[in-house]
Structure formats: C-alpha cells, structure tokens
Amino acid sequence: MPVATCVLHILSNLTRGARPYGLIENVATHREFRNRGFGTALLDHALECAWEENCYKVMLLSGRSEQNVFRLYEKAGFVRGVKEGLVAYPPE
C-alpha cells in the first residue's frame, strides 16, 4: 500500500530557453502515516526529478486550505504568493 503520492507533470515550454517546467498536483499522504516525513520526502523526490529534467521552475496547485498542508509545502521549498493560480471547468 502506498503511503504517499503525488503527480508531477513535466511540461514542454517555448520560453526560458525552451526549458520545461513542472507542475505538482494531487499530493496525498495516508491519514495513518501523516507527520512522519513521508510527504516531505515525496516532494523532495518530485523536485529532484524535475531538476534532473532541467525544469526552470515547479509549481504546485492545492485545493486545501489547512495551514499544516502549506507548512508541508513550504518545508519542501515552495513559496506562497509568487503567482496566483486560476482554474477553469468545462460548462455543464
């Protein structure tokens, strides 16, 4: 059983010298395994993968609002308030 997971997308790009960028979504740690460092280790690994692919940045989108979630992201090196995320959904 996986205890933590996320999705890292590596996206092609035509700016920044055609270097790709990363997007992380769907970060989740099984409730019984939270606060043991698994989420931090997972995000560290995802970032290492992105840097190995020569990404010039990695963005993370979250639908959560709990401060402990953002502490995890900040501990992994993400900075709040640099960009603003927007989401569009298909019409019903």
Side-chain angles (χ1 to χ4, degrees), residues 2-7 25-30 34 39 42 64 73:
V3 298
T5 185
C6 73
V7 177
E25 292 187 291
N26 301 327
V27 178
T29 301
H30 190 285
R34 291 181 185 159
L42 174 68
R64 305 292 298 267
Y73 299 152

Side-chain angles (χ1 to χ4, degrees), residues 29-82:
T29 301
H30 190 285
R31 181 172 279 114
E32 295 176 21
F33 295 91
R34 291 181 185 159
N35 299 310
R36 296 187 191 179
F38 291 109
T40 302
L42 174 68
L43 290 172
D44 287 347
H45 179 70
L47 288 171
E48 287 175 22
C49 290
W51 306 146
E52 287 175 8
E53 293 295 323
N54 199 31
C55 289
Y56 79 94
K57 70 177 178 183
V58 175
M59 296 182 291
L60 185 148
L61 291 178
S62 177
R64 305 292 298 267
S65 60
E66 298 89 351
Q67 290 306 304
N68 61 321
V69 172
F70 288 97
R71 281 193 295 275
L72 166 68
Y73 299 152
E74 290 170 334
K75 184 177 179 181
F78 290 92
V79 179
R80 295 172 82 175
V82 175

